[in-house]
Protein backbone atom coordinates (compact mmCIF):
# COMPACT_ATOMS: atom_id res chain seq x y z
CA UNK A 1 0.00 0.00 0.00
CA UNK A 2 2.81 2.42 0.79
CA UNK A 3 5.24 4.15 -1.53
CA UNK A 4 8.68 2.63 -1.75
CA UNK A 5 11.04 4.00 0.90
CA UNK A 6 14.72 4.48 -0.04
CA UNK A 7 17.68 3.14 1.89
CA UNK A 8 18.29 6.50 3.53
CA UNK A 9 14.92 6.15 5.25
CA UNK A 10 16.57 4.16 8.01
CA UNK A 11 18.73 7.14 8.92
CA UNK A 12 16.86 9.37 11.33
CA UNK A 13 18.94 12.42 10.41
CA UNK A 14 19.12 11.63 6.70
CA UNK A 15 17.18 14.64 5.42
CA UNK A 16 18.77 16.16 2.34
CA UNK A 17 18.25 17.21 -1.25
CA UNK A 18 16.47 14.01 -2.22
CA UNK A 19 13.88 14.53 0.50
CA UNK A 20 13.50 18.18 -0.53
CA UNK A 21 12.79 17.08 -4.11
CA UNK A 22 10.26 14.50 -2.97
CA UNK A 23 8.34 16.98 -0.82
CA UNK A 24 8.23 19.58 -3.60
CA UNK A 25 7.07 16.96 -6.09
CA UNK A 26 4.47 15.52 -3.70
CA UNK A 27 3.05 18.98 -2.93
CA UNK A 28 2.95 19.79 -6.65
CA UNK A 29 1.05 16.54 -7.28
CA UNK A 30 -1.33 17.24 -4.42
CA UNK A 31 -2.04 20.78 -5.58
CA UNK A 32 -2.31 19.83 -9.26
CA UNK A 33 -4.72 16.97 -8.59
CA UNK A 34 -6.75 18.43 -5.74
CA UNK A 35 -7.03 22.19 -6.35
CA UNK A 36 -10.56 23.31 -7.10
CA UNK A 37 -12.05 19.82 -7.03
CA UNK A 38 -14.46 17.77 -4.98
CA UNK A 39 -13.11 15.45 -2.30
CA UNK A 40 -14.11 12.29 -4.18
CA UNK A 41 -12.68 8.74 -3.92
CA UNK A 42 -10.13 8.89 -6.74
CA UNK A 43 -8.62 12.11 -5.42
CA UNK A 44 -8.66 10.87 -1.83
CA UNK A 45 -6.59 7.87 -2.95
CA UNK A 46 -4.00 10.11 -4.62
CA UNK A 47 -3.99 12.53 -1.68
CA UNK A 48 -3.28 9.62 0.66
CA UNK A 49 -0.45 8.30 -1.53
CA UNK A 50 1.27 11.68 -1.95
CA UNK A 51 0.91 12.56 1.73
CA UNK A 52 2.32 9.15 2.65
CA UNK A 53 5.37 9.82 0.45
CA UNK A 54 6.23 12.83 2.64
CA UNK A 55 5.47 11.13 5.94
CA UNK A 56 7.69 8.13 5.21
CA UNK A 57 10.70 10.44 5.31
CA UNK A 58 9.43 12.80 8.00
CA UNK A 59 8.49 10.08 10.51
CA UNK A 60 11.03 7.27 9.95
CA UNK A 61 10.41 5.51 13.29
CA UNK A 62 6.74 4.90 12.54
CA UNK A 63 5.77 1.51 11.15
CA UNK A 64 4.51 1.44 7.56
CA UNK A 65 1.02 0.49 8.71
CA UNK A 66 0.80 3.45 11.08
CA UNK A 67 2.00 5.84 8.38
CA UNK A 68 -0.51 4.49 5.88
CA UNK A 69 -3.39 4.62 8.36
CA UNK A 70 -2.58 8.24 9.24
CA UNK A 71 -2.41 9.28 5.58
CA UNK A 72 -5.63 7.41 4.76
CA UNK A 73 -7.49 8.99 7.67
CA UNK A 74 -6.34 12.48 6.67
CA UNK A 75 -7.49 11.98 3.08
CA UNK A 76 -10.82 10.52 4.14
CA UNK A 77 -11.58 13.50 6.42
CA UNK A 78 -10.65 16.20 3.87
CA UNK A 79 -13.42 18.54 2.73
CA UNK A 80 -14.03 20.43 -0.52
CA UNK A 81 -13.14 23.70 1.23
CA UNK A 82 -9.69 22.38 2.16
CA UNK A 83 -8.93 21.74 -1.52
CA UNK A 84 -10.43 24.90 -3.01
CA UNK A 85 -7.08 26.21 -4.38
CA UNK A 86 -3.30 25.87 -4.10
CA UNK A 87 -3.03 27.82 -0.85
CA UNK A 88 -5.81 25.75 0.75
CA UNK A 89 -4.19 22.46 -0.31
CA UNK A 90 -0.83 23.50 1.14
CA UNK A 91 -2.53 24.63 4.36
CA UNK A 92 -4.27 21.26 4.60
CA UNK A 93 -0.98 19.39 4.17
CA UNK A 94 0.71 21.66 6.74
CA UNK A 95 -2.00 21.05 9.33
CA UNK A 96 -1.99 17.29 8.76
CA UNK A 97 1.79 17.02 9.10
CA UNK A 98 1.84 19.23 12.21
CA UNK A 99 -0.87 17.10 13.81
CA UNK A 100 0.96 13.89 12.94
CA UNK A 101 4.29 15.32 14.17
CA UNK A 102 2.81 15.89 17.62
CA UNK A 103 1.52 12.32 17.87
CA UNK A 104 4.81 10.99 16.45
CA UNK A 105 6.96 12.74 19.07
CA UNK A 106 4.62 11.68 21.85
CA UNK A 107 4.35 8.09 20.66
CA UNK A 108 8.12 7.61 20.46
CA UNK A 109 8.78 9.68 23.61
CA UNK A 110 11.22 12.06 21.93
CA UNK A 111 11.83 15.65 23.02
CA UNK A 112 13.26 18.81 21.53
CA UNK A 113 16.87 17.94 22.39
CA UNK A 114 16.59 14.48 20.82
CA UNK A 115 17.95 13.94 17.31
CA UNK A 116 14.80 12.07 16.34
CA UNK A 117 12.48 14.91 17.36
CA UNK A 118 10.38 16.37 14.51
CA UNK A 119 10.11 20.09 15.15
CA UNK A 120 6.75 21.47 14.07
CA UNK A 121 8.22 24.85 13.12
CA UNK A 122 11.93 24.48 12.30
CA UNK A 123 11.99 21.29 10.22
CA UNK A 124 12.86 21.96 6.52
CA UNK A 125 9.53 20.50 5.39
CA UNK A 126 7.57 23.53 6.62
CA UNK A 127 9.56 25.90 4.43
CA UNK A 128 8.98 23.67 1.42
CA UNK A 129 5.24 23.70 2.07
CA UNK A 130 5.26 27.50 1.80
CA UNK A 131 6.68 27.49 -1.74
CA UNK A 132 4.41 29.09 -4.32
CA UNK A 133 3.49 27.28 -7.54
CA UNK A 134 6.14 29.35 -9.37
CA UNK A 135 8.93 28.34 -6.99
CA UNK A 136 7.90 24.68 -7.17
CA UNK A 137 7.69 24.87 -10.97
CA UNK A 138 11.18 26.36 -11.27
CA UNK A 139 12.68 23.85 -8.85
CA UNK A 140 11.13 20.89 -10.64
CA UNK A 141 12.16 22.10 -14.11
CA UNK A 142 15.67 22.79 -12.85
CA UNK A 143 15.84 19.27 -11.43
CA UNK A 144 14.43 17.69 -14.61
CA UNK A 145 17.09 19.39 -16.74
CA UNK A 146 19.79 18.43 -14.19
CA UNK A 147 20.99 22.02 -13.94
CA UNK A 148 22.65 23.26 -10.79
CA UNK A 149 22.08 26.81 -9.57
CA UNK A 150 25.57 27.64 -10.81
CA UNK A 151 25.03 26.28 -14.32
CA UNK A 152 21.54 27.74 -14.65
CA UNK A 153 22.75 31.12 -13.40
CA UNK A 154 25.69 31.01 -15.80
CA UNK A 155 23.40 30.29 -18.75
CA UNK A 156 21.15 33.14 -17.67
CA UNK A 157 23.91 35.59 -16.82
CA UNK A 158 23.11 35.92 -13.11
CA UNK A 159 24.71 34.59 -9.96
CA UNK A 160 23.75 31.28 -8.36
CA UNK A 161 22.47 33.23 -5.35
CA UNK A 162 19.86 34.86 -7.59
CA UNK A 163 18.58 31.44 -8.70
CA UNK A 164 18.46 30.53 -5.01
CA UNK A 165 16.27 33.54 -4.25
CA UNK A 166 13.81 32.52 -6.97
CA UNK A 167 13.50 28.86 -6.03
CA UNK A 168 13.03 29.70 -2.35
CA UNK A 169 10.45 32.39 -3.06
CA UNK A 170 12.46 35.29 -1.60
CA UNK A 171 12.08 37.14 -4.91
CA UNK A 172 10.80 36.58 -8.43
CA UNK A 173 12.37 37.25 -11.83
CA UNK A 174 11.37 40.07 -14.13
CA UNK A 175 9.74 39.55 -17.50
CA UNK A 176 13.02 39.41 -19.45
CA UNK A 177 14.57 36.88 -17.07
CA UNK A 178 11.41 34.75 -17.21
CA UNK A 179 11.62 34.56 -21.00
CA UNK A 180 15.30 33.64 -20.82
CA UNK A 181 14.59 30.98 -18.17
CA UNK A 182 11.90 29.44 -20.37
CA UNK A 183 14.29 29.33 -23.35
CA UNK A 184 17.08 27.72 -21.29
CA UNK A 185 14.76 25.18 -19.67
CA UNK A 186 13.05 24.34 -22.98
CA UNK A 187 9.48 25.31 -22.05
CA UNK A 188 6.97 27.71 -23.57
CA UNK A 189 7.37 31.20 -21.99
CA UNK A 190 3.75 31.17 -20.82
CA UNK A 191 4.54 28.43 -18.28
CA UNK A 192 6.78 30.88 -16.41
CA UNK A 193 4.69 34.01 -16.95
CA UNK A 194 3.89 36.07 -13.86
CA UNK A 195 0.16 35.50 -14.36
CA UNK A 196 0.70 31.81 -13.46
CA UNK A 197 2.79 32.39 -10.33
CA UNK A 198 -0.01 31.31 -7.99
CA UNK A 199 -1.65 28.74 -10.28
CA UNK A 200 -0.84 25.05 -9.79
CA UNK A 201 0.06 23.01 -12.87
CA UNK A 202 -3.30 21.25 -13.11
CA UNK A 203 -2.66 20.50 -16.78
CA UNK A 204 0.23 18.18 -15.85
CA UNK A 205 -1.95 15.92 -13.71
CA UNK A 206 -5.31 15.65 -15.52
CA UNK A 207 -5.72 14.03 -18.93
CA UNK A 208 -8.37 12.79 -21.31
CA UNK A 209 -6.12 9.88 -22.30
CA UNK A 210 -2.58 8.75 -21.50
CA UNK A 211 -0.13 11.37 -22.90
CA UNK A 212 2.74 8.92 -23.47
CA UNK A 213 4.51 8.52 -26.83
CA UNK A 214 2.61 5.32 -27.61
CA UNK A 215 -0.85 5.67 -26.06
CA UNK A 216 -2.91 2.54 -26.51
CA UNK A 217 -5.48 0.54 -24.61
CA UNK A 218 -5.53 0.25 -20.85
CA UNK A 219 -5.58 -2.80 -18.62
CA UNK A 220 -7.92 -2.47 -15.67
CA UNK A 221 -7.02 -3.90 -12.30
CA UNK A 222 -8.02 -3.51 -8.67
CA UNK A 223 -6.09 -1.46 -6.15
CA UNK A 224 -5.29 -4.46 -3.99
CA UNK A 225 -7.12 -5.72 -0.95
CA UNK A 226 -4.71 -3.94 1.39
CA UNK A 227 -6.19 -0.60 0.35
CA UNK A 228 -8.98 0.93 2.45
CA UNK A 229 -12.51 0.89 1.12
CA UNK A 230 -12.27 4.07 -0.96
CA UNK A 231 -15.10 3.06 -3.27
CA UNK A 232 -18.71 2.17 -2.59
CA UNK A 233 -18.46 -1.44 -3.70
CA UNK A 234 -15.90 -4.19 -4.34
CA UNK A 235 -16.74 -3.99 -8.04
CA UNK A 236 -15.74 -0.33 -8.21
CA UNK A 237 -12.53 -1.03 -6.32
CA UNK A 238 -11.62 -3.96 -8.58
CA UNK A 239 -12.03 -1.80 -11.66
CA UNK A 240 -10.32 1.27 -10.23
CA UNK A 241 -6.78 1.27 -11.66
CA UNK A 242 -6.21 1.57 -15.40
CA UNK A 243 -2.68 0.71 -16.55
CA UNK A 244 -1.55 2.16 -19.88
CA UNK A 245 -0.42 -0.69 -22.14
CA UNK A 246 1.99 1.71 -23.86
CA UNK A 247 4.05 3.17 -21.00
CA UNK A 248 2.85 1.35 -17.89
CA UNK A 249 1.55 4.46 -16.10
CA UNK A 250 -1.29 3.72 -13.69
CA UNK A 251 -4.35 5.98 -13.69
CA UNK A 252 -7.50 6.60 -11.70
CA UNK A 253 -10.58 8.15 -13.26
CA UNK A 254 -12.52 10.84 -11.43
CA UNK A 255 -16.28 11.38 -11.54
CA UNK A 256 -15.94 13.91 -14.37
CA UNK A 257 -13.97 11.51 -16.59
CA UNK A 258 -10.41 12.87 -16.15
CA UNK A 259 -7.52 10.43 -15.85
CA UNK A 260 -5.40 11.19 -12.76
CA UNK A 261 -1.91 9.64 -12.41
CA UNK A 262 -1.74 7.27 -9.44
CA UNK A 263 1.48 7.62 -7.38
CA UNK A 264 3.59 4.44 -7.11
CA UNK A 265 2.27 1.85 -4.69
CA UNK A 266 1.97 -1.87 -4.13
CA UNK A 267 -1.16 -2.79 -6.04
CA UNK A 268 -0.62 -5.81 -8.31
CA UNK A 269 0.72 -5.09 -11.77
CA UNK A 270 -1.09 -6.54 -14.81
CA UNK A 271 0.76 -9.45 -16.35
CA UNK A 272 -0.77 -9.20 -19.83
CA UNK A 273 1.37 -9.34 -22.95
CA UNK A 274 0.88 -5.65 -23.69
CA UNK A 275 2.56 -4.71 -20.40
CA UNK A 276 5.28 -7.36 -20.49
CA UNK A 277 7.57 -5.16 -22.55
CA UNK A 278 7.88 -2.75 -19.61
CA UNK A 279 10.50 -5.19 -18.37
CA UNK A 280 9.70 -5.00 -14.66
CA UNK A 281 6.88 -4.58 -12.23
CA UNK A 282 5.49 -1.11 -12.75
CA UNK A 283 4.43 -0.77 -9.13
CA UNK A 284 7.93 -1.48 -7.83
CA UNK A 285 9.98 0.28 -10.51
CA UNK A 286 12.58 2.94 -9.82
CA UNK A 287 10.09 5.71 -10.60
CA UNK A 288 9.06 7.58 -7.45
CA UNK A 289 7.96 11.05 -6.48
CA UNK A 290 11.50 12.34 -5.95
CA UNK A 291 12.02 11.94 -9.70
CA UNK A 292 10.09 13.58 -12.54
CA UNK A 293 6.62 12.09 -12.68
CA UNK A 294 4.23 10.85 -14.07
CA UNK A 295 6.19 8.49 -16.31
CA UNK A 296 3.74 9.05 -19.15
CA UNK A 297 5.10 12.59 -19.63
CA UNK A 298 8.82 12.42 -18.86
CA UNK A 299 11.52 10.40 -20.60
CA UNK A 300 15.26 10.37 -19.80
CA UNK A 301 17.36 12.12 -22.43
CA UNK A 302 19.52 9.97 -24.67
CA UNK A 303 18.02 6.69 -23.45
CA UNK A 304 19.68 7.02 -20.04
CA UNK A 305 18.26 5.16 -17.09
CA UNK A 306 16.40 7.62 -14.92
CA UNK A 307 17.79 8.61 -11.54
CA UNK A 308 17.97 11.72 -9.40
CA UNK A 309 20.56 13.60 -11.50
CA UNK A 310 19.48 12.43 -14.96
CA UNK A 311 18.41 15.08 -17.44
CA UNK A 312 14.94 14.48 -18.86
CA UNK A 313 13.48 15.49 -22.18
CA UNK A 314 10.95 18.26 -21.69
CA UNK A 315 7.49 16.89 -22.63
CA UNK A 316 5.79 18.27 -25.71
CA UNK A 317 3.01 19.49 -23.44
CA UNK A 318 5.39 22.03 -21.87
CA UNK A 319 6.71 23.32 -25.19
CA UNK A 320 3.24 24.62 -26.03
CA UNK A 321 1.25 27.38 -24.39
CA UNK A 322 -0.62 26.07 -21.33
CA UNK A 323 -4.32 25.64 -21.90
CA UNK A 324 -7.21 26.14 -19.54
CA UNK A 325 -8.71 22.71 -19.05
CA UNK A 326 -12.42 22.59 -19.87
CA UNK A 327 -14.75 22.23 -16.94
CA UNK A 328 -16.28 18.79 -16.81
CA UNK A 329 -19.30 18.54 -14.54
CA UNK A 330 -19.07 15.72 -12.07
CA UNK A 331 -21.61 12.97 -12.35
CA UNK A 332 -24.68 13.99 -10.40
CA UNK A 333 -25.63 11.82 -7.48
CA UNK A 334 -29.11 10.46 -7.98
CA UNK A 335 -31.14 9.09 -5.13
CA UNK A 336 -32.36 5.68 -6.27
CA UNK A 337 -35.41 4.04 -4.67
CA UNK A 338 -35.10 0.65 -3.06
CA UNK A 339 -35.50 -2.03 -5.74
CA UNK A 340 -37.99 -4.85 -5.67
CA UNK A 341 -36.21 -8.19 -5.82
CA UNK A 342 -38.28 -10.68 -3.82
CA UNK A 343 -40.62 -11.47 -6.72
CA UNK A 344 -40.67 -13.18 -10.09
CA UNK A 345 -38.44 -11.65 -12.73
CA UNK A 346 -41.31 -10.12 -14.70
CA UNK A 347 -42.80 -8.64 -11.50
CA UNK A 348 -39.46 -7.11 -10.54
CA UNK A 349 -39.17 -5.55 -13.97
CA UNK A 350 -42.65 -4.05 -13.81
CA UNK A 351 -42.14 -2.71 -10.27
CA UNK A 352 -38.82 -1.03 -11.07
CA UNK A 353 -39.61 0.21 -14.59
CA UNK A 354 -40.71 3.65 -13.38
CA UNK A 355 -37.21 4.62 -12.24
CA UNK A 356 -34.81 2.05 -13.72
CA UNK A 357 -33.67 2.70 -17.29
CA UNK A 358 -32.69 -0.95 -17.67
CA UNK A 359 -36.03 -2.20 -16.47
CA UNK A 360 -37.86 0.21 -18.77
CA UNK A 361 -35.89 -1.21 -21.70
CA UNK A 362 -37.00 -4.70 -20.67
CA UNK A 363 -40.72 -3.90 -20.63
CA UNK A 364 -42.16 -5.06 -23.94
CA UNK A 365 -38.74 -5.06 -25.60
CA UNK A 366 -38.38 -7.76 -28.26
CA UNK A 367 -35.29 -9.92 -28.03
CA UNK A 368 -33.41 -9.44 -31.30
CA UNK A 369 -31.13 -12.15 -32.61
CA UNK A 370 -27.51 -11.83 -31.52
CA UNK A 371 -24.87 -10.63 -33.94
CA UNK A 372 -23.77 -7.08 -34.61
CA UNK A 373 -21.35 -4.30 -33.66
CA UNK A 374 -22.58 -3.74 -30.10
CA UNK A 375 -20.54 -5.91 -27.74
CA UNK A 376 -21.60 -6.95 -24.27
CA UNK A 377 -18.68 -8.14 -22.14
CA UNK A 378 -19.31 -10.09 -18.99
CA UNK A 379 -17.03 -11.54 -16.33
CA UNK A 380 -18.12 -13.68 -13.40
CA UNK A 381 -15.34 -12.56 -11.08
CA UNK A 382 -12.00 -10.69 -11.24
CA UNK A 383 -9.36 -12.73 -12.99
CA UNK A 384 -11.73 -14.79 -15.14
CA UNK A 385 -11.79 -14.49 -18.90
CA UNK A 386 -14.45 -12.34 -20.49
CA UNK A 387 -17.46 -13.82 -22.20
CA UNK A 388 -18.60 -11.85 -25.25
CA UNK A 389 -21.92 -11.43 -27.02
CA UNK A 390 -22.65 -9.08 -29.91
CA UNK A 391 -25.92 -7.35 -30.75
CA UNK A 392 -27.17 -5.27 -33.66
CA UNK A 393 -28.23 -2.25 -31.60
CA UNK A 394 -27.45 -0.48 -28.35
CA UNK A 395 -30.91 -1.19 -26.97
CA UNK A 396 -30.50 -4.92 -27.55
CA UNK A 397 -27.16 -4.98 -25.76
CA UNK A 398 -28.59 -2.92 -22.90
CA UNK A 399 -31.53 -5.29 -22.71
CA UNK A 400 -29.16 -8.24 -22.34
CA UNK A 401 -27.10 -6.43 -19.70
CA UNK A 402 -30.24 -5.65 -17.72
CA UNK A 403 -31.33 -9.26 -17.99
CA UNK A 404 -28.02 -10.42 -16.49
CA UNK A 405 -28.31 -7.91 -13.67
CA UNK A 406 -31.85 -8.99 -12.84
CA UNK A 407 -31.25 -12.73 -13.21
CA UNK A 408 -28.27 -12.87 -10.87
CA UNK A 409 -29.35 -10.26 -8.36
CA UNK A 410 -30.07 -12.92 -5.77
CA UNK A 411 -28.33 -16.29 -5.59
CA UNK A 412 -30.61 -19.28 -5.21
CA UNK A 413 -28.47 -20.98 -2.61
CA UNK A 414 -26.91 -18.11 -0.72
CA UNK A 415 -27.30 -14.60 0.70
CA UNK A 416 -28.01 -11.52 -1.36
CA UNK A 417 -25.13 -10.72 -3.71
CA UNK A 418 -23.97 -7.25 -2.61
CA UNK A 419 -22.10 -6.50 -5.84
CA UNK A 420 -25.17 -7.21 -7.94
CA UNK A 421 -27.33 -5.18 -5.57
CA UNK A 422 -24.92 -2.24 -5.82
CA UNK A 423 -25.14 -2.48 -9.58
CA UNK A 424 -28.90 -2.70 -9.56
CA UNK A 425 -29.49 0.20 -7.18
CA UNK A 426 -27.13 2.83 -8.43
CA UNK A 427 -24.17 2.00 -10.62
CA UNK A 428 -24.93 0.49 -13.99
CA UNK A 429 -28.00 2.61 -14.69
CA UNK A 430 -25.80 5.65 -15.29
CA UNK A 431 -22.48 4.01 -16.11
CA UNK A 432 -22.96 1.08 -18.48
CA UNK A 433 -23.07 3.16 -21.64
CA UNK A 434 -20.34 5.52 -20.42
CA UNK A 435 -18.07 2.56 -19.73
CA UNK A 436 -17.51 1.84 -23.43
CA UNK A 437 -15.84 5.26 -23.83
CA UNK A 438 -13.45 4.32 -21.08
CA UNK A 439 -12.47 1.12 -22.86
CA UNK A 440 -12.50 1.77 -26.59
CA UNK A 441 -13.60 5.30 -27.47
CA UNK A 442 -13.20 4.59 -31.18
CA UNK A 443 -15.62 1.66 -31.21
CA UNK A 444 -19.17 0.84 -30.19
CA UNK A 445 -18.11 -1.42 -27.33
CA UNK A 446 -19.26 -1.11 -23.78
CA UNK A 447 -18.63 -3.24 -20.75
CA UNK A 448 -20.45 -4.38 -17.67
CA UNK A 449 -17.55 -6.65 -16.77
CA UNK A 450 -16.93 -6.88 -13.03
CA UNK A 451 -20.19 -5.02 -12.35
CA UNK A 452 -22.56 -7.92 -13.02
CA UNK A 453 -21.26 -11.03 -11.23
CA UNK A 454 -22.11 -14.56 -12.27
CA UNK A 455 -21.08 -17.76 -10.53
CA UNK A 456 -18.22 -19.59 -12.18
CA UNK A 457 -20.22 -22.82 -12.56
CA UNK A 458 -22.89 -20.98 -14.56
CA UNK A 459 -20.73 -20.26 -17.59
Amino acid sequence: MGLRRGQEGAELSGWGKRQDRLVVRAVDVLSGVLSGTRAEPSRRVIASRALLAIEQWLFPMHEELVLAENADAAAQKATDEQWVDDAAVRQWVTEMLAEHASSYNEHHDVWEDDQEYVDRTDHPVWGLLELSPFSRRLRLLQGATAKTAVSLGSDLGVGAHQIGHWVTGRSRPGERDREALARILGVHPAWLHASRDEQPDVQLYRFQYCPCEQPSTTTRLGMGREEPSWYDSPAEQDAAVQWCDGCGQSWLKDSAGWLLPLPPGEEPTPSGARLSDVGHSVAHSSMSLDEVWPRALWQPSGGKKGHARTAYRIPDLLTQEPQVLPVRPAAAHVSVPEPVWEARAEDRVAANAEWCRMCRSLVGAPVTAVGGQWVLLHRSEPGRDLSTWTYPAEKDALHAGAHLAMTYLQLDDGPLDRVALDLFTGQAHTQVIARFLELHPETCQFEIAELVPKRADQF
Side-chain angles (χ1 to χ4, degrees), residues 174-361:
E175 183 176 355
R176 185 170 300 178
D177 284 334
R178 290 174 185 270
E179 293 177 355
L181 275 172
R183 183 173 62 254
I184 294 168
L185 296 172
V187 302
H188 191 283
W191 287 94
L192 298 179
H193 193 272
S195 62
R196 290 180 49 80
D197 282 359
E198 303 302 327
Q199 297 180 22
D201 284 331
V202 172
Q203 195 174 343
L204 300 182
Y205 301 108
R206 301 179 197 175
F207 300 91
Q208 295 182 9
Y209 51 85
C210 185
C212 67
E213 292 182 333
Q214 297 179 326
S216 58
T217 58
T218 58
T219 298
R220 290 170 49 183
L221 202 66
M223 296 188 66
R225 292 305 179 186
E226 295 300 320
E227 290 280 357
S229 180
W230 296 106
Y231 295 90
D232 293 335
S233 74
E236 286 184 314
Q237 183 178 358
D238 286 339
V241 183
Q242 300 182 46
W243 300 82
C244 175
D245 291 331
C247 68
Q249 174 69 46
S250 54
W251 302 93
L252 294 180
K253 181 171 284 190
D254 70 2
S255 62
W258 292 110
L259 289 178
L260 312 174
L262 178 66
E266 295 181 359
E267 63 275 353
T269 305
S271 57
R274 297 300 303 276
L275 286 174
S276 62
D277 58 357
V278 173
H280 46 61
S281 171
V282 176
H284 298 93
S285 71
S286 61
M287 182 65 68
S288 65
L289 290 183
D290 65 319
E291 303 173 35
V292 285
W293 184 88
R295 69 166 61 240
L297 278 181
W298 302 86
Q299 301 294 330
S301 299
K304 299 177 182 178
K305 183 178 180 181
H307 55 80
R309 297 305 302 169
T310 296
Y312 282 75
R313 181 175 59 81
I314 297 297
D316 292 340
L317 177 64
L318 291 176
T319 65
Q320 306 165 17
E321 184 175 1
Q323 302 295 318
V324 177
L325 291 178
V327 177
R328 290 187 172 188
H333 177 72
V334 178
S335 178
V336 179
E338 278 293 314
V340 173
W341 62 75
E342 294 178 353
R344 296 180 303 170
E346 56 269 26
D347 295 332
R348 293 199 300 265
V349 168
N352 299 317
E354 292 183 3
W355 58 271
C356 173
R357 179 164 63 94
M358 283 186 170
C359 292
R360 284 200 303 271
S361 71

Side-chain angles (χ1 to χ4, degrees), residues 6-142:
Q7 294 298 319
E8 299 104 311
E11 303 175 15
L12 300 180
S13 60
W15 193 277
K17 291 183 178 179
R18 181 182 181 188
Q19 289 71 38
D20 283 355
R21 286 194 303 270
L22 185 144
V23 171
V24 175
R25 172 68 65 191
V27 173
D28 203 57
V29 170
L30 284 164
S31 185
V33 171
L34 306 181
S35 293
T37 63
R38 294 172 51 238
E40 59 179 308
S42 59
R43 286 186 166 81
R44 292 187 192 276
V45 171
I46 294 172
S48 173
R49 290 278 183 93
L51 189 61
L52 177 59
I54 301 173
E55 297 208 359
Q56 285 179 320
W57 288 107
L58 190 59
F59 309 125
M61 289 195 296
H62 263 344
E63 296 180 356
E64 288 285 337
L65 181 59
V66 174
L67 291 168
E69 288 178 346
N70 287 344
D72 292 342
Q76 289 283 30
K77 292 187 296 184
T79 64
D80 295 352
E81 291 74 19
Q82 290 175 309
W83 293 351
V84 69
D85 54 25
D86 177 83
V89 171
R90 286 189 283 122
Q91 180 64 28
W92 173 72
V93 177
T94 300
E95 292 174 355
M96 291 301 100
L97 293 183
E99 178 182 324
H100 295 170
S102 294
S103 61
Y104 175 80
N105 292 330
E106 181 179 351
H107 178 78
H108 294 286
D109 196 22
V110 293
W111 303 90
E112 293 185 15
D113 294 335
D114 296 327
Q115 184 180 22
E116 298 87 356
Y117 181 78
V118 178
D119 196 298
R120 287 179 293 166
T121 57
D122 292 337
H123 194 284
V125 73
W126 310 121
L128 298 173
L129 290 172
E130 294 177 358
L131 294 177
S132 68
F134 170 79
S135 295
R136 293 198 309 264
R137 191 174 299 133
L138 183 55
R139 278 183 179 236
L140 295 173
L141 287 172
Q142 180 186 345

Side-chain angles (χ1 to χ4, degrees), residues 374-379 385-391 445 459:
W374 282 90
V375 180
L376 176 66
L377 303 176
H378 175 261
R379 174 166 21 218
D385 292 337
L386 291 173
S387 298
T388 304
W389 294 274
T390 60
Y391 297 87
Q445 291 183 327
F459 263 95

